[in-house]
Every structure is written in structure tokens, then in C-alpha cells.
Amino acid sequence: MALFSKLTRDRWSRFRRIKRAWYSFLILSSLFFLSLFSEMLCNDKPYIMSYNGKWYFPIFHFYPEKEFGGKYSTEADYLTLRNSPLFKKSDNWMVFPPVPHSPLHSYIDLAGTPPHPPSTDHWLGTDSSARDVFARLLYGFRICMLFSLILAFIATLFGILIGGLQGYFGGLIDIVVQRMIEIWSSLPFLYVVILVGTIYSRSFMILILVLSLFQWIGLSYYMRGEFLKIRNLNYVKVAKTMGMSNTHILFRQILPNGLTPVITLLPFQIIGGIGALTALDFLGFGLQPPTPSWGELLSQGLNNLFAPWLAISTVVCLFTTLLLATFIGEGVREAFDPRSSTN
């Protein structure tokens, strides 16, 4: 089945006619695309600035505080510099991104104790470390989406490979691999995460590696069933009698016609990845602080019930993202169902 065959075009057309799924796809993909440029949209470093007649580009280049009349070689605090008398007394200027806040910057100079309530400067308030909540939600969204997409990609490869080999060869190979999968899936997932995180630290790639060791199991069951069904079709038997290799039959004859479970399950794998990362961060076994994290914001909201903006803003973002992904998944499943009919 060619990538742009009539069947593929028909499925794509059916998906586009499912308005709820199509608009959800456009919204979620647009938000994810924008989040890839978070540093350009939400940052406490200006795009460009003029200081004593010289031009600087802090968002692209590191400048020490000494460059602007300070004492230290660390990076300048441009928000403080903007309000300093030394900067204001000359024709100096700087242009900030639309949201002039970084997810790692603590605004300890704000009046009162953090978390601070929403204001004109901090639209969703600050968290318990006086960091801007909107900035942490935006960067956290990008991390969640990248994490879930990479995890879904790796899990899909493992699921196709292992499930496909089981279904194609069957017999002893199928029985042995199936027993190994049952043993592996019985391992306590959370304990494995805690153990690996304790030994190797809780980095982005370590968490993806650990979760991908378990995420592929569900898909492998579907791929095993598809390959068991397709291997007995006439065109596969003809390919075998013609002397084609097993690799050619697996990946050129069977796989293109057995991708329906992969496509229909992909949005739900993304949902699972977002939920898993958020849950791990909420429990304290996810990404290392101070990485922007929705789970960490939810944990702060639970520990600071007097600051409802923490939990409410995070829950709304999480609910909206999962809802859009669910609508996409339902639309894909309906589009790939030959019995479905859309108006």
C-alpha cells in the first residue's frame, strides 16, 4: 500500500470531515509548533538592546554583567538593568519578547511572599519559588509533548518489531516471546523508575528509556494479531513461493497493510506519555528540578491550597491537551474504520 494510495487519501478525507477531530488536530499541532519557539515568545532576555551606543542581542548571545557596568562575570539580569538609573539616564533601550519572563527566574523582589496572585505583570501569578506560572506552563507543555512524541515513536518501533516477529513466525518463537512479555509486564513499573532514577539520575532521556521499556507492550499485542492474520493471505503465500526474503515480506508486504493499529493507537500513546510524565513529576520521581513541569505545578497547588491559581491553571492546560488528543484519536479511529460514515 503506497503512502499516498487512494485508500490513504480516502482515510485522510474522512478524518478531515470529522470536524471535532480536525480542529483539535489543528489547535494542538499549532500550539506545539509555537511552543518549539518558547524562548522567542517567553523570555527575560531582550531580543535586541542598545547600551551606550552599542547594539546587543542577549537572547542569542551571552553577555556578562560587567559589560553593562556591573561587578560580576555572570550573565546580566536584564529586567533589573532595565529599571536601573544608570540604564535610564541615557538613550538606552531594549525590546523584550511578548512575555518577558523566564520559567527559571525567581522574582524574589515582588511584594509579599510567594506564591503571588495573578497580576498584569504575571498573568497566572507565580509559584512557591516566585517563578512565573505562565512561563512554566508554556515550557512544560513543550517538554510534555516532546517527551510523549519521542516515547510514542520508540514504543511504536519496539511494538511493531516484536509483535510483528511473533505474528509472522508464530510457533515456538511466539510462545517464548509471549511468556517473556508476560514476565516483563509484571514488573512494578514505579519501582523500576525509582531504582533507575536513583542510580543514573532522573534526566529526560533516562525517563524516556525506562518508560519505553514498558510502553511498547500494548501495541505488540495488536501487531501480533495483525501479522498472524495477514501472513495467511494469498499475496503473502505467493511472495514466499517466489523466494522473497522474510525481511522483504515483513516490511514490504505485511507491514504496510498492518499499520491500522499503529495509526489508531498513536494519539492514545501520546496521551499516555503526557499522563505518565505528569504523574511522575507530581510524585517527585520525574524530571529534576527546576525543570518546568506540569506535575510539579500540580504538586505545588496541592501544597498551597490558598493559591488556587497554581492548580486551576495547570489542570485546565492538562485537561485541554488531553481532550484535544482524545478527539484526534477518536477521529483517526473512525477514519480508519471502513464501516464508518461521516457527513
Side-chain angles (χ1 to χ4, degrees), residues 66-335:
K66 291 181 177 180
E67 185 76 20
F68 308 109
K71 300 179 181 179
Y72 306 105
S73 298
T74 55
E75 189 168 19
D77 183 343
Y78 296 99
L79 293 176
T80 302
L81 176 64
R82 179 182 59 178
N83 298 322
S84 67
L86 181 64
F87 185 84
K88 289 182 175 181
K89 72 178 183 180
S90 303
D91 293 331
N92 303 321
W93 52 268
M94 57 179 69
V95 178
F96 279 93
V99 181
H101 303 299
S102 165
L104 304 180
H105 187 105
S106 294
Y107 295 89
I108 56 177
D109 55 337
L110 292 177
T113 57
H116 302 93
S119 63
T120 55
D121 191 28
H122 300 278
W123 301 339
L124 298 178
T126 67
D127 64 4
S128 58
S129 298
R131 297 169 299 199
D132 186 77
V133 172
F134 180 86
R136 293 188 69 78
L137 285 174
L138 177 61
Y139 282 74
F141 173 74
R142 179 175 65 178
I143 291 175
C144 276
M145 291 298 296
L146 287 174
F147 183 91
S148 59
L149 288 171
I150 295 173
L151 178 62
F153 176 76
I154 296 174
T156 298
L157 288 181
F158 276 100
I160 291 175
L161 180 61
I162 297 175
L165 292 176
Q166 284 184 262
Y168 179 73
F169 290 105
L172 182 61
I173 293 178
D174 183 26
I175 294 174
V176 171
V177 175
Q178 194 64 26
R179 297 294 83 78
M180 293 175 64
I181 290 176
E182 291 171 359
I183 295 171
W184 181 252
S185 61
S186 66
L187 292 176
F189 163 73
L190 185 58
Y191 291 163
V192 174
V193 173
I194 295 173
L195 178 62
V196 175
T198 302
I199 298 174
Y200 297 103
S201 79
R202 304 191 309 271
S203 67
F204 184 87
M205 293 309 301
I206 289 294
L207 284 178
I208 285 182
L209 175 62
V210 176
L211 265 70
S212 63
L213 294 177
F214 293 88
Q215 194 83 354
W216 58 270
I217 295 176
L219 179 61
S220 70
Y221 294 150
Y222 289 96
M223 297 308 299
R224 173 178 175 268
E226 284 291 312
F227 275 64
L228 279 171
K229 178 181 67 176
I230 297 176
R231 72 172 185 169
N232 294 317
L233 297 181
N234 289 332
Y235 77 90
V236 177
K237 294 179 179 178
V238 171
K240 289 181 179 179
T241 59
M242 294 176 62
M244 294 183 181
S245 66
N246 289 328
T247 303
H248 179 87
I249 296 174
L250 273 169
F251 295 105
R252 300 296 297 274
Q253 301 293 325
I254 300 180
L255 181 60
N257 294 288
L259 285 177
T260 298
V262 176
I263 303 299
T264 54
L265 288 176
L266 183 60
F268 300 103
Q269 285 189 319
I270 294 175
I271 292 173
I274 294 174
L277 179 62
T278 303
L280 288 173
D281 287 334
F282 178 80
L283 296 173
F285 303 124
L287 299 172
Q288 291 278 15
T291 306
S293 163
W294 285 2
E296 188 241 356
L297 281 173
L298 284 175
S299 179
Q300 289 192 36
L302 181 63
N303 296 327
N304 299 277
L305 296 177
F306 60 89
W309 57 87
L310 290 174
I312 292 175
S313 59
T314 308
V315 168
V316 168
C317 290
L318 182 60
F319 174 79
T320 303
T321 302
L322 297 182
L323 184 66
L324 292 174
T326 301
F327 286 160
I328 294 171
E330 290 177 348
V332 170
R333 185 168 56 189
E334 186 175 344

